[in-house]
Amino acid sequence: MEAVLEKLKSYMKEKNMSIYKVTELSELSENTIYNWYNKGAEPSVRALQSICKVLDVSMSELFCGEGEYVFTNKEFELLKRFSRLSDRQQDLIFELVDELK
């Protein structure tokens, strides 16, 4: 997650936006982002989506970088749903995908 936070910081700098301005425009509490950087709190998908919208970058760019793979809406939805599963359920999904190959 550290790399993602560094990218966020870089995008904010490119756009000449402070953490305060980004949180205000994304309707998050200012402490939310500070907690990511200073206390190791994990950002939610919704919070990252809001910030990406404000910074005019895609979630794919945030996680992969420019020029790399861009997720379709279906793929992104699948990732969101997958992240909510238990470890055991995720393992079962991997087993199913292996069987489908």
Side-chain angles (χ1 to χ4, degrees):
M1 189 52 65
E2 218 170 282
V4 170
L5 294 177
E6 286 306 310
K7 283 184 183 181
L8 279 177
K9 196 181 287 187
S10 174
Y11 289 130
M12 285 188 277
K13 186 175 181 179
E14 278 178 27
K15 305 282 184 183
N16 199 29
M17 296 179 94
S18 65
I19 289 176
Y20 175 78
K21 187 67 174 176
V22 170
T23 54
E24 180 182 12
L25 293 172
S26 59
E27 298 178 354
L28 299 171
S29 97
E30 189 173 356
N31 286 335
T32 299
I33 296 178
Y34 282 116
N35 286 338
W36 299 345
Y37 287 100
N38 299 324
K39 296 185 179 179
E42 291 287 323
S44 69
V45 171
R46 187 195 68 73
L48 290 174
Q49 286 174 317
S50 297
I51 290 172
C52 283
K53 186 174 182 178
V54 167
L55 295 173
D56 194 32
V57 297
S58 69
M59 291 282 280
S60 295
E61 285 177 285
L62 180 62
F63 284 93
C64 298
E66 285 185 44
E68 294 186 32
Y69 187 79
V70 177
F71 293 110
T72 65
N73 287 337
K74 274 186 170 180
E75 290 167 326
F76 185 70
E77 182 61 31
L78 182 63
L79 287 173
K80 285 193 314 187
R81 290 179 184 186
F82 182 82
S83 69
R84 292 185 214 128
L85 298 174
S86 70
D87 287 342
R88 176 67 185 133
Q89 290 170 322
Q90 289 178 0
D91 289 342
L92 288 170
I93 295 294
F94 280 117
E95 289 175 25
L96 176 62
V97 170
D98 287 341
E99 286 294 317
L100 293 173
K101 288 182 186 176

